[in-house]
Amino acid sequence: LETRTQRNSDVVDQARRTDARRYQQTSAAEVLFFAATAVTAVGAGLAVPIPNEASWLAAPNAAAAAFTALVMALAIRGGPYRRHVITTSLAAGGAVATVIALAMGFGPHQWLWPATAALGIILITSSAKLTVIFARITLPPVPVAGEDVNVDELLDPVIDVAAEAEQDVSGEPGREDTWKAILESVPSSSAQLVERSRLSQQLLAGFVLVGSAALAVGAVMCFQPGHFFWLSVAIAVLAATITAFRSRFYANKICAWSLLTCSAAIVIGCACKVIVWNPANAAFVTAAIVAFTALLLLGLAATRSSKMRSAVSKRMLELFDGFCVAATWPLLLWIAGVYNMLRNFIL
């Protein structure tokens, strides 16, 4: 792991030195990296021949562009400044878009958009586990009581804070020198842990961002008139509730705003589809949106401060979130036609 990290650091440093000689600034290299990613993805999409039945770009073109964005994101790895939020979003989003485009290329399927919404829920609920896996977080070597210490980093001298405080009172070394010495005595494994912590925060934001986008697209596309109308309404309401409720769990602003934007996109998208289907109900739909938004804001305001909640209320909120997530799965299976397939299955 340390060898791979050192190798990646050497590559990044070499890119920085090369770009510094050419452009005298690393920011220009970052702009070129992401501009090249966009141009390469568009070029790959246009390079695929258009199908005979299509008059414009179709699913194979979208699949080629998405897969190219995935490959470029894995190759760049955040660029010179290691912006892993963008890399994770491009990689995960490219993978999701590639699968969706390939599925659409084989014809319209009833299960496509429910599967997209389910994938979004999986990414949102499992983002923490995915972050631990991809960040490869390892704790520094901390020996237990009675164990021999074989790591040189743990044998570094420890600063005597009390003695340094007495020196501060006597007026010899200042307090800034004391804290500087303390920070210098921190083992390098702790510095690596801090770096992994920053990486994990960026990966978490990327996974939540892609999951929110997939859930919003899947919930809005599942919303359809006819036999499954009220079923799709329930899915949209549950998806909006889950994302708005889970936005209070994250201290990262990118995660919180991604989930809130997903909730708003689901409500606005479904409302626009209802207005297109029946323009006479525009006033009723607008009133329903206002009422739902008011109730949602009241619920968020009631759960704003986590310090004021008791253990019982926290447990109730966790159960409510788990119920909303669990109730979405059978509805998605229903609208995807899984129950109909099992009912008509003949051995």
Side-chain angles (χ1 to χ4, degrees):
L1 179 60
E2 293 181 356
T3 304
R4 182 176 300 177
T5 304
Q6 184 66 28
R7 190 186 308 120
N8 296 338
S9 301
D10 294 340
V11 172
V12 173
D13 293 338
Q14 183 179 1
R16 286 180 177 178
R17 290 193 298 268
T18 303
D19 295 320
R21 290 196 302 266
R22 292 181 180 178
Y23 309 104
Q24 300 300 325
Q25 55 180 350
T26 313
S27 301
E30 185 178 36
V31 173
L32 289 177
F33 275 146
F34 292 109
T37 301
V39 173
T40 306
V42 173
L46 295 177
V48 176
I50 299 177
N52 296 328
E53 298 81 5
S55 59
W56 200 59
L57 300 179
N61 306 98
F67 183 75
T68 305
L70 167 63
V71 174
M72 292 294 294
L74 295 178
I76 290 177
R77 294 186 179 182
Y81 290 107
R82 299 185 180 183
R83 302 185 188 276
H84 297 287
V85 176
I86 301 177
T87 303
T88 308
S89 302
L90 284 176
V96 173
T98 302
V99 173
I100 293 175
L102 291 177
M104 293 178 63
F106 290 96
H109 296 285
Q110 185 181 2
W111 54 265
L112 176 59
W113 300 119
T116 304
L119 181 59
I121 293 177
I122 292 174
L123 286 176
I124 292 175
T125 55
S126 304
S127 57
K129 297 179 181 179
L130 293 174
T131 300
V132 173
I133 294 174
F134 285 94
R136 300 174 182 175
I137 299 176
T138 55
L139 295 177
V142 179
V144 298
E147 183 180 358
D148 295 333
V149 178
N150 296 323
V151 182
D152 295 335
E153 295 179 356
L154 299 178
L155 297 177
D156 293 338
V158 179
I159 301 299
D160 190 355
V161 180
E164 294 292 336
E166 292 177 0
Q167 292 180 358
D168 290 341
V169 174
S170 61
E172 296 179 354
R175 184 170 299 178
E176 296 180 357
D177 297 336
T178 302
W179 287 109
K180 182 179 179 180
I182 293 175
L183 292 176
E184 289 178 352
S185 66
V186 175
S188 60
S189 58
S190 300
Q192 294 177 2
L193 183 62
V194 173
E195 183 180 357
R196 290 292 178 182
S197 176
R198 296 175 182 174
L199 173 62
S200 62
Q201 291 180 4
Q202 297 183 10
L203 293 178
L204 179 64
F207 286 128
V208 173
L209 180 61
V210 175
S212 301
L215 180 57
V217 173
V220 173
M221 296 303 296
C222 285
F223 190 71
Q224 54 184 299
H227 178 69
F228 292 110
F229 175 73
W230 292 109
L231 189 63
S232 59
V233 169
I235 292 176
V237 171
L238 286 174
T241 304
I242 291 171
T243 52
F245 187 77
R246 280 185 169 263
S247 65
R248 311 304 301 171
F249 293 168
Y250 293 97
N252 193 333
K253 293 182 179 180
I254 298 179
C255 298
W257 282 108
S258 300
L259 294 172
L260 286 176
T261 305
C262 173
S263 179
I266 292 173
V267 176
I268 296 175
C270 295
C272 292
K273 295 182 75 171
V274 171
I275 293 175
V276 171
W277 296 336
N278 192 357
N281 293 332
F284 173 75
V285 173
T286 304
I289 292 176
V290 172
F292 180 79
T293 305
L295 291 176
L296 189 60
L297 291 176
L298 289 175
L300 293 176
T303 60
R304 181 176 181 180
S305 178
S306 60
K307 297 180 180 180
M308 300 301 294
R309 293 197 300 263
S310 61
V312 177
S313 61
K314 290 181 181 180
R315 182 58 180 169
M316 294 297 294
L317 293 175
E318 292 177 357
L319 291 176
F320 176 75
D321 177 71
F323 170 77
C324 292
V325 174
T328 309
W329 291 106
L331 299 180
L332 290 175
L333 293 176
W334 192 350
I335 202 173
V338 176
Y339 300 148
N340 188 24
M341 181 186 66
L342 294 177
R343 182 182 60 187
N344 299 327
F345 183 75
I346 300 177
L347 295 175

